Each structure stands twice: as C-alpha cells, then as structure tokens.
Amino acid sequence: MNSSRMVAGFTAVVAALGVVATATPASASQTSLVISGTSTVQYHCVEPPYPDADTTLDVTFTAPAVAHKGTNFTVTAKVKATAGIPIDVPANGTTASVGVVLSGSQSGTVTATGLTNTAVVPAGQLLTLTGGAATVSPTRVGVLLFTPGGFESTNWLGQHLVCTPITPPSVASLSIVVS
C-alpha cells in the first residue's frame, strides 16, 4: 500500500472513531503523532457504607498514532467528573486507576495508575484526575483500540470507590501497530 493511501485510511479510521490526532514534542529535536479521545462513560459505583450510585465520567486516553509490534508504549489517562463534587478536595486528595480495555488487533486489559488531582478542588467544581499511565505491549500488527474499563479511587479520608461501566463505553483512542 502506498503512503498516501495509508494516510487516507488512517485519517478515515481516526475520524470515524471521533478521536483527534495531534503532534506533541517527543524530545527537543523531534515530535510524535498521538491520538487522543474522550469517552463519556456511565458507571455504577459502590463505596461502603454509602448506598450504590450511578455517575458519569469523561475518560480520555492518549496513545501514539503508530507503535511497533513487540515494543512497549504508554497510554496516558485523564478522568473528569461531569457533576460538581459536594466537598472541598485537597491537592492530591484522590488517587485512582482506570482500566484500559484493548480490542482490535489484540485483546486484554491494562490498568492506568497514578491518577490524582494536582490542585485543590473547591466544592461544586468538577474533579479532574490526571497523570494516569499504562504500559501496552503490542503483540500483533493492526489497529489497536483503547476503551475505558473499570474505575477505582481512594480519597484522603480512606474511602474506596469501585465503579463498573453500566453500558459498553465507546473507543477513546487507538494506535496503528506495525512490524
């Protein structure tokens, strides 16, 4: 396949999934193309001793546009609440992880850990957790899709929240795996 047809095909796949391709600095002398997209996920959450509840979170994954089979790469994650929080949250008051479900050219799940809120979040504001990362080890050539999975968080009070998607979430990002 010639390179112009490959780029056209890649652009069509990205557009169909509603994700965005951008160039980001990989180092001082080079840039790399990444694919970033957000999936709005409806979750059912359990946090004893409180009653179960449903919530909606925007989960964003960013991955390299092109990856090489057999070479590990990182998918980054950001999770944002869609409703204001009822109390003030101190900086780094919440730590969390989110599942990254792999489909397309291979299947499986990895976990993006290290999510936290880096600044104080006043009551009534939207909690945004950043800094999450998961290592992906591609084993097959093709299009590798990344969809949000389960979400877990622990706050500064020691409360542990476990959330499961209610309906299958949409794909948030992808990578083209080449040999």
Side-chain angles (χ1 to χ4, degrees), residues 113-137:
T113 59
L115 289 159
T116 191
N117 60 299
T118 56
V120 172
V121 182
Q125 299 298 308
L126 300 179
L127 177 67
T128 300
L129 305 171
T130 59
T135 299
V136 175
S137 304

Side-chain angles (χ1 to χ4, degrees), residues 82-177:
T82 59
I85 56 171
I87 61 173
D88 292 342
V89 177
N92 301 309
T94 301
T95 58
S97 64
V98 64
V100 182
V101 179
L102 310 176
S103 62
S105 60
Q106 76 185 65
S107 61
T109 301
V110 295
T111 303
T113 59
L115 289 159
T116 191
N117 60 299
T118 56
V120 172
V121 182
Q125 299 298 308
L126 300 179
L127 177 67
T128 300
L129 305 171
T130 59
T135 299
V136 175
S137 304
T139 58
R140 300 182 69 182
V141 171
V143 179
L144 186 53
L145 306 172
F146 310 108
T147 304
F151 172 80
E152 291 191 33
S153 69
T154 302
N155 66 24
W156 74 103
L157 300 171
Q159 297 166 314
H160 188 73
L161 178 73
V162 177
C163 301
T164 306
I166 295 171
T167 57
S170 62
V171 170
S173 191
L174 63 93
S175 289
I176 306 296
V177 179

Side-chain angles (χ1 to χ4, degrees), residues 6-16:
M6 183 181 282
V7 169
F10 176 75
T11 303
V13 169
V14 170

